[in-house]
Amino acid sequence: MTRTAAPWWRSAVIYQVYIRSFADANGDGVGDIAGIRSRLPYLAELGIDAIWINPWYPSPMADHGYDVADYRGIEPVFGTLAEAEELIDEAHRHGIRVIPDIVPNHTSDRHAWFRAALAAGPYSPERARYVFRAGRGPRGDEPPNDWTSCFGGPAWTRVADGQWYLHLFAPQQPDLNWEHPEVRAEFESVLRFWFSRGVDGFRIDVAHGLIKHPDLPDLGPAPSEVAAPERGAGHPHWDRDEVHDIYRAWRRVADEFPGDRMFVAEAWAETPERLAAYVRRDGLHTAFNFDYLMSAWDAGRLRHVIDHTRATLGAVDAPATWVLSNHDVVRHASRFGRAVQKEWRHNQTWHPEGPVDLALGLRRARAAALLTLALPGGAYIYQGEELGLPEVEDLPEDVLQDPTWERSGHTERGRDGCRVPIPWAGGAAPFGFSPQDATAAPWLPQPESWKDHSVAAQTGDDASVLELYRSALRLRRDHPALGGGASGDATLSWVDAPAGVLAFTREPGFLCAVNLSDEPYPLPPHDAVLLASGPLTDGRLPTDTAVWLALR
Ligand code: ISL
């Protein structure tokens, strides 16, 4: 599969399948495993190396699968365990690796362990697997500390007997106690369950959240890490140093299995240095690069992120990953379509400023794709970005399902706008997402304009985003300078260019240039234009356009 001896995950292009919204084979309006299987030829032709599938386990769906009731099964709405096994084998026959999502920070409140904990009562061994505490105040009716849920409101819920339990996300997602040996043993067993069924790795949900300060101290009015010696160190529940012990054990589990099994951490760290700690030699393999995802469309900022990422990960010999979008953030075709380009911050809700210029966003998204796929390391593609899908910013309030919407008291609309089902073909909804004889409409409504975004509408149209991605992925596979590079050493050299232009070479004989300035950029001497994200004018690269050149 790879040209070099370097393991595949160092340079893989991994396509994120948000299973609910990818393809619905049984017509109930929700995507499923059979739908993914039916689209494997599409994925193989697109030219990706692996798929990451969002949680497919039995779940009451309080957070669309991130509330897992049974880590060894498949949610009936999505299919069966047998179908999952067939999908893994079939994907492998297409040359596509399979990476499920694992959710270790919390279970569902319907998980057998949590039900047992509720039934067993205060201070029972069953409760010790979660984080139960007495409340504060004379009657114990105030939460044990001041932590808040990522979805809004307090991070604690009181149960009938008066104790409180911790949930950094929704109340239906109680946090596990990772100091408990049974919790550690259980997850190692779950990893083995799926590794022995052939999965090639795992995406680890909230990888930075598992360990909590034993005293559960208040966060206080000011961030408590201010006094810590290092930025980001010492937070009571995020990115605590002890979390790496867990991943050293997970690495040993992965290494028990043949082939190159891998982990990718969804870890939010304050600094690139702290992120690099997740991917040291005896730890996880890769981590999502959220600094890149959060970067504004700004040459200086992007270059800083690229350099800093490469330096910090290079120091621990880990490959970079380049991510533009996922199921939690506003689609980048819409982010980049705002006149004012702002840097994101983690946990900051995106409130769009000003109208979106979708043509501008798409032009930049096309350029961003060529930048992303030319950088050394691995890359992620979130389903639909290869179709240039925008965020659906005008979903009616009565269809919103993200827990954020309710938990914020209807002040934050949440993440549904990037989760609208994929348009495959046809002139009207469901655009081939569900079969003709479907019994239900797609779980979120698709905009009428998506007829022009469908796979069928774009296929064969050289000007389409889809054909741009197909060409880029084909070149990336064939060109010795791309991906991990011929020697696997993943080098990149910046080329002198005017302010606002990012230009770099990779050996042998490759140059990528992206113009984020207001002036056209005269292309440096080259042998041939391999690919461009938009038309070139008189040998010059227009604003918001990227090009791949073959050099002598
Ligand atoms: O830390 C955060 C908010 O304070 C978040 O950015 C958090 O790290 C992120 O939301 C985690 O996301 C993942 O876990 C969630 C789930 O809802 C997301 O879809 C998933 O990607 C809970 O399992």
Side-chain angles (χ1 to χ4, degrees):
M1 227 170 215
T2 37
R3 283 182 300 264
T4 64
W8 67 277
W9 46 264
R10 293 189 73 92
S11 59
V13 178
I14 301 181
Y15 183 97
Q16 180 188 350
V17 173
Y18 192 71
I19 181 168
R20 252 190 119 64
S21 303
F22 186 63
D24 164 28
N26 67 0
D28 63 357
V30 175
D32 43 42
I33 292 176
I36 303 176
R37 288 177 65 192
S38 74
R39 300 298 180 182
L40 284 173
Y42 167 78
L43 294 170
E45 210 232 308
L46 182 60
I48 48 97
D49 300 298
I51 51 176
W52 147 37
I53 305 173
N54 288 94
W56 56 6
Y57 313 102
S59 166
M61 299 286 161
D63 185 21
H64 287 334
Y66 284 99
D67 46 326
V68 178
D70 171 9
Y71 292 85
R72 294 182 184 79
I74 292 291
E75 162 62 33
V77 167
F78 296 146
T80 63
L81 183 57
E83 284 182 280
E85 290 171 341
E86 283 163 29
L87 168 66
I88 296 164
D89 292 344
E90 204 170 324
H92 287 165
R93 287 198 291 278
H94 278 96
I96 296 172
R97 292 180 155 96
V98 179
I99 300 169
D101 212 310
I102 191 160
V103 188
N105 182 67
H106 42 265
T107 69
S108 161
D109 60 350
R110 310 285 179 78
H111 189 282
W113 276 4
F114 195 73
R115 288 170 183 255
L118 288 184
Y123 308 106
S124 59
E126 286 82 357
R127 286 207 177 175
R129 298 185 190 121
Y130 291 90
V131 187
F132 279 87
R133 291 288 186 280
R136 290 203 285 209
R139 287 180 305 281
D141 56 2
E142 290 159 36
N145 70 21
D146 65 356
W147 298 359
T148 55
S149 151
C150 290
F151 296 149
W156 296 91
T157 290
R158 198 175 195 191
V159 300
D161 53 53
Q163 275 205 317
W164 297 73
Y165 68 89
L166 176 70
H167 52 86
L168 291 177
F169 293 88
Q172 297 90 338
Q173 294 168 297
D175 279 53
L176 285 162
N177 169 19
W178 274 86
E179 306 302 340
H180 199 304
E182 276 176 37
V183 172
R184 297 198 182 213
E186 170 65 0
F187 274 86
E188 290 175 25
S189 158
V190 168
L191 294 177
R192 290 191 180 94
F193 177 89
W194 290 104
F195 276 140
S196 58
R197 279 165 179 75
V199 306
D200 299 280
F202 287 92
R203 178 260 188 195
I204 306 171
D205 189 59
V206 196
H208 59 307
L210 277 46
I211 299 289
K212 280 81 183 176
H213 189 297
D215 304 336
L216 307 180
D218 276 338
L219 275 164
S224 60
E225 68 265 25
V226 164
E230 182 196 352
R231 210 176 113 214
H235 190 282
H237 64 70
W238 292 140
D239 189 26
R240 295 186 62 76
D241 291 336
E242 303 86 338
V243 80
H244 302 298
D245 293 339
I246 297 170
Y247 300 132
R248 273 188 281 271
W250 286 26
R251 177 63 176 255
R252 289 193 294 272
V253 173
D255 289 347
E256 288 167 13
F257 290 84
D260 291 309
R261 315 289 174 117
M262 60 80 88
F263 293 110
V264 54
E266 190 227 9
W268 292 87
E270 271 287 306
T271 63
E273 288 75 12
R274 290 196 64 85
L275 185 66
Y278 287 80
V279 291
R280 289 174 296 206
R281 251 176 203 292
D282 58 348
L284 303 175
H285 305 76
T286 58
F288 293 120
N289 185 346
F290 291 126
D291 286 339
Y292 187 70
L293 179 150
M294 290 190 293
S295 180
W297 186 246
D298 175 90
R301 181 62 198 160
L302 283 166
R303 175 157 173 175
H304 171 79
V305 169
I306 292 167
D307 284 341
H308 208 147
T309 298
R310 287 171 43 72
T312 47
L313 295 179
V316 291
D317 191 31
T321 67
W322 309 103
V323 191
L324 290 165
S325 277
N326 64 32
H327 66 293
D328 289 333
V329 303
V330 173
R331 282 189 177 273
H332 60 273
S334 294
R335 284 190 338 249
F336 293 155
R338 253 69 198 204
V340 179
Q341 281 294 300
K342 275 210 188 148
E343 200 65 21
W344 277 29
R345 290 211 15 105
H346 179 217
N347 292 346
Q348 184 184 57
T349 316
W350 200 73
H351 294 284
E353 276 179 38
V356 61
D357 177 343
L358 285 180
L360 175 69
L362 195 59
R363 196 157 64 241
R364 290 175 172 171
R366 293 172 61 103
L370 293 200
L371 172 63
T372 302
L373 293 172
L375 291 169
Y380 283 82
I381 296 175
Y382 175 46
Q383 67 178 37
E385 79 168 69
E386 82 280 22
L387 305 176
L389 293 186
E391 181 82 0
V392 182
E393 295 186 88
D394 59 356
L395 284 170
E397 291 183 354
D398 61 343
V399 305
L400 296 180
Q401 300 199 15
D402 186 347
T404 308
W405 173 239
E406 288 302 328
R407 299 269 307 165
S408 68
H410 295 185
T411 56
E412 307 293 351
R413 291 173 61 86
R415 303 161 293 179
D416 292 318
C418 66
R419 299 173 174 180
V420 173
I422 295 298
W424 292 93
F431 300 114
F433 168 70
S434 303
Q436 284 288 324
D437 57 352
T439 52
W443 70 279
L444 286 173
Q446 301 156 302
E448 205 230 292
S449 58
W450 280 21
K451 63 181 187 312
D452 302 325
H453 282 285
S454 77
V455 171
Q458 297 193 41
T459 295
D461 173 0
D462 288 343
S464 70
V465 193
L466 178 56
E467 294 299 349
L468 179 74
Y469 269 79
R470 284 180 172 148
S471 302
L473 290 167
R474 200 175 307 124
L475 276 165
R476 184 179 156 110
R477 288 202 150 191
D478 294 345
H479 200 293
L482 291 177
S487 52
D489 62 356
T491 52
L492 165 164
S493 309
W494 294 106
V495 170
D496 277 341
V501 174
L502 295 174
F504 59 87
T505 56
R506 296 189 63 192
E507 293 304 328
F510 175 90
L511 183 143
C512 172
V514 192
N515 187 357
L516 296 93
S517 79
D518 294 334
E519 299 297 322
Y521 166 59
L523 292 180
H526 55 275
D527 256 9
V529 173
L530 296 170
L531 189 62
S533 68
L536 306 177
T537 43
D538 313 321
R540 297 190 306 169
L541 185 67
T543 300
D544 294 328
T545 309
V547 69
W548 287 0
L549 300 177
L551 304 180
R552 213 139 287 160

